Amino acid sequence: MFFKTQTVTHGSKGDKGDRGPIGQIGTTGSKAKIKLAGSPSMYMGRVEVYHNDQWGTVIGTSFSSAHFGSGTGQIWLDDVRCAGSEISLNDCSHRNWGIENCDHAEDAGVMCGNVRLVGVEAPNPFSGRVEVYHDGEWGTVCDDSFDIPDAKAVCSAIGLAGGTVFDPPDGHGMIWMDDVACTGKEVSIEECSHRGWGINNCQHSEDVGVRCAIVRLVNTTSATTGRVEIFHEGQWGTICDDNWDDDDASVICKMLGFSGGTAYKRAHYGSGSGKIWLDNVDCSGSEDDVSDCQHSTWGRHNCVHNEDA
């Protein structure tokens, strides 16, 4: 199955702190709802549809193999075939509701919009070669002058905060953008200045990659301070302040596209809720991602939320 970009309708939040936007599918009778799950961004995630009073997944080949995590429960749709002109999944051909020969390891995902990250870099599923959709074709972006404000614009386009630059596998086809110069205030790379669509002096060995942050700073009015939360296994959680110091904070700030960092303990920005994902974090400060630092196993800790970092 192939989901065209920009086909998911953004709606209101769903039940139980829903993990993505909810839109409507179905044009006759009782309309089914659709949401994107398993992602910190409202623009991408595992496709789930609501049918017969139950959320279920869809099987497909676009962002397949449970790219955004395996769902649970009912698999509602299989062998979906869309031309791309339909306004609803119900308008596409499929096996019929609940008829499938799959398991949740094949759950489909989508990324909506005109910017995507290709060739995912483990362990961060929100990283890859930057590609933009222009004039009916996906193409790459040259790394000339590409820096942190440019990476931020890419990550903003897919609903994430901040990012860093890296050298990805080479792409192919059009090189759409060169000499990109963003101010850091844009919500998409398309708003940034550049040479002009398709005008470049680059080769695909110069394609740029971006690693978007899967951390966020919350319970504050500032973009540069707050309680640290990290996204893992489909949900946001906190970090315990045991051994938390400025080296650890600097890695968090680097993930968000900032330099330096000051550590605060004892829920300085308020106590969180839900999962405490990391404890005993020990970064040298040179790491690009907090998950690369020494820490206790994901979800293993001896903390409570008044120790949130």
Side-chain angles (χ1 to χ4, degrees), residues 113-197:
N114 292 335
V115 179
R116 68 182 182 183
L117 300 175
V118 178
V120 171
E121 182 203 37
N124 185 348
F126 309 103
S127 63
R129 182 177 61 252
V130 180
E131 295 192 356
V132 294
Y133 193 74
H134 180 72
D135 201 20
E137 182 178 351
W138 286 101
T140 63
V141 177
C142 185
D143 64 7
D144 291 349
S145 303
F146 202 95
D147 57 13
I148 293 299
D150 308 322
K152 181 180 179 182
V154 170
C155 295
S156 293
I158 57 177
L160 299 175
T164 54
V165 182
F166 74 99
D167 185 19
D170 296 353
H172 55 84
M174 291 295 297
I175 298 175
W176 276 129
M177 303 178 77
D178 188 16
D179 292 337
V180 175
C182 305
T183 66
K185 297 180 180 179
E186 298 85 355
V187 296
S188 175
I189 191 176
E190 297 166 293
E191 299 178 4
C192 304
S193 66
H194 56 91
R195 281 189 166 211
W197 291 103

Side-chain angles (χ1 to χ4, degrees), residues 227-270:
R227 182 176 66 248
V228 180
E229 294 190 351
I230 187 166
F231 191 81
H232 182 67
E233 290 187 351
Q235 61 182 300
W236 289 101
T238 63
I239 298 178
C240 183
D241 65 9
D242 291 348
N243 300 323
W244 190 250
D245 60 21
D246 288 353
D247 287 336
D248 308 323
S250 69
V251 173
I252 297 296
C253 293
K254 185 188 300 183
M255 292 175 70
L256 292 168
F258 304 116
S259 59
T262 302
Y264 293 92
K265 297 186 175 185
R266 305 300 298 177
H268 182 84
Y269 289 100

Side-chain angles (χ1 to χ4, degrees), residues 60-108:
T61 57
S62 180
F63 283 113
S64 58
S65 302
H67 179 90
F68 293 103
S70 297
T72 58
Q74 185 71 47
I75 297 174
W76 277 129
L77 296 176
D78 187 15
D79 290 341
V80 178
R81 293 289 183 270
C82 302
S85 59
E86 300 86 353
I87 62 173
S88 163
L89 281 183
N90 266 0
D91 296 333
C92 306
S93 67
H94 55 82
R95 283 190 167 210
N96 211 344
W97 292 97
I99 299 176
E100 43 81 19
N101 59 354
C102 309
D103 59 48
H104 283 294
E106 302 170 77
D107 284 344

